[in-house]
Amino acid sequence: MKVLTSPESVRLWSREQHAAGKTIGFVPTMGYLHEAHLSLIDLAREHADQTVVSIFVNPTQFGPGEDFDSYPRDEDRDLRLCKERGADAVWVPAVDEMYPQGYKTYVEVNELGKHLCGANRPGHFRGVTTIVSKLFNVVNPDVAVFGRKDAQQARILMQLNDDLQFGVKILLGDTLREPSGLAMSSRNVRLKPLHRSQAPVLYEGLQLAQKLFNQGERSAEKLIGAVRRHILQHSDDATVDYIQLVGWNDLEPVDRVTETSLLALAVRFGNVRLIDNILLEIS
Ligand code: PAF
């Protein structure tokens, strides 16, 4: 497995693969890899000849007071896991190479970042779309893989890809869960033991809403109310940032489930903010 640091070396590697007639699958990450990331590598490998992973904790997607400094990092372990999982190359960019002194260019997708995480984290998606544009420009992948846990991010990146005509095939990997139902996340390691034991209430709440939906419930108020009650009744320490029902296409809040809607939440346990979601689909 090649470990690449400079954008030039990644460009060269990418050109060589394409010149040899090989397709490139790309898995952008912020590192501290867990099984959910590794399953994205599997998906990339199924759909492309060569797989490259990027590991970069992107400062521009963290707001002031957010957890950029405390975001967990372990490069050696990440490289080992990528190698074991069959990645062909890993790109570990340096912050000052991605954002050198005097850096001025940002990429923004309008509208889709107004609600859900975008409402509580101003500038977050601008940072994500900026870094992913930069990574796409250098890697020039045929396929890129993102996780469904970050549903709003996935939707925004699909729009970015269409609007800027990157021509990348975007694949979404399913949310992987711990046996308790808690969605896998690099941030889970920062949960205090008490909070870790309470955090499964998030998915339990979503599953409750799924059950109500399967029984015919379509009202956003009722579905959201059920999730909120479950979380607050079964966890003393949860602080709800949001629980919202939005249309999957425009990510605008809806009163009732119509076609495909996203029921998404962000909840804090201490200073750890967790997100999760389910898609409610009327077939
Ligand atoms: O989902 C993530 O880990 C990040 O937001 C991404 C897409 C790698 C951009 O930094």
Side-chain angles (χ1 to χ4, degrees):
M1 184 183 78
K2 275 196 183 272
V3 179
L4 306 164
T5 49
S6 71
E8 293 74 27
S9 62
V10 179
R11 250 185 236 289
L12 186 65
W13 177 84
S14 166
R15 282 195 189 126
E16 281 169 4
Q17 306 315 315
H18 282 148
K22 293 185 177 158
T23 54
I24 297 175
F26 180 35
V27 185
T29 79
M30 296 209 300
Y32 214 74
L33 305 180
H34 48 70
E35 191 54 35
H37 294 112
L38 303 176
S39 72
L40 302 182
I41 299 180
D42 295 343
L43 198 55
R45 292 186 69 211
E46 278 166 35
H47 287 85
D49 302 318
Q50 291 282 302
T51 296
V52 55
V53 179
S54 65
I55 297 174
F56 183 63
V57 184
N58 171 38
T60 62
Q61 68 189 75
F62 290 81
E66 288 190 353
D67 56 350
F68 175 69
D69 290 330
S70 60
Y71 196 85
R73 295 162 168 87
D74 190 343
E75 191 179 310
D76 291 344
R77 181 176 160 275
D78 286 345
L79 292 176
R80 180 171 51 73
L81 291 173
C82 287
K83 188 170 176 194
E84 282 170 12
R85 208 56 173 236
D88 299 288
V90 177
W91 179 17
V92 192
V95 175
D96 54 5
E97 219 162 0
M98 297 314 275
Y99 299 109
Q101 276 264 315
Y103 185 87
K104 288 184 181 55
T105 305
Y106 291 86
V107 180
E108 195 155 17
V109 172
N110 288 335
E111 306 295 329
L112 298 178
K114 268 195 321 200
H115 302 288
L116 307 174
C117 289
N120 292 316
R121 302 186 69 188
H124 167 68
F125 288 115
R126 178 182 187 248
V128 172
T129 44
T130 298
I131 193 65
V132 170
S133 302
K134 288 166 67 66
L135 297 171
F136 276 10
N137 270 333
V138 174
V139 173
N140 191 17
D142 300 278
V143 173
V145 187
F146 299 94
R148 285 186 197 275
K149 182 175 74 73
D150 299 297
Q152 184 176 23
Q153 166 174 288
R155 176 66 193 89
I156 288 174
L157 292 175
M158 288 160 80
Q159 187 75 37
L160 172 83
N161 183 52
D162 288 349
D163 289 354
L164 293 191
Q165 296 159 317
F166 280 112
V168 177
K169 181 171 177 189
I170 306 276
L171 300 177
L172 303 185
D174 287 338
T175 302
L176 261 59
R177 299 185 178 280
E178 297 183 0
S180 66
L182 176 64
M184 288 187 186
S185 161
S186 304
R187 290 189 165 100
N188 290 354
V189 293
R190 291 182 32 234
L191 285 167
K192 295 196 173 118
L194 178 67
H195 294 161
R196 188 176 257 270
S197 70
Q198 293 178 11
V201 295
L202 307 189
Y203 188 53
E204 286 166 16
L206 291 172
Q207 278 181 307
L208 192 62
Q210 176 76 63
K211 195 168 149 205
L212 293 173
F213 173 76
N214 294 346
Q215 290 165 356
E217 186 57 76
R218 297 289 180 265
S219 147
E221 200 184 326
K222 296 259 171 57
L223 293 166
I224 292 169
V227 181
R228 185 182 298 275
R229 267 193 310 280
H230 182 86
I231 293 174
L232 296 179
Q233 279 168 8
H234 294 90
S235 157
D236 291 336
D237 301 315
T239 310
V240 175
D241 260 11
Y242 69 77
I243 305 170
Q244 277 193 312
L245 185 74
V246 298
W248 170 243
N249 196 42
D250 60 6
L251 301 183
E252 286 290 325
V254 291
D255 292 338
R256 297 183 63 74
V257 181
T258 46
E259 295 175 355
T260 303
S261 302
L262 178 74
L263 181 57
L265 54 78
V267 172
R268 286 173 202 275
F269 288 93
N271 59 3
V272 183
R273 184 175 179 278
L274 301 177
I275 58 172
D276 204 347
N277 66 78
I278 50 170
L279 269 188
L280 298 175
E281 292 178 89
I282 298 181
S283 48

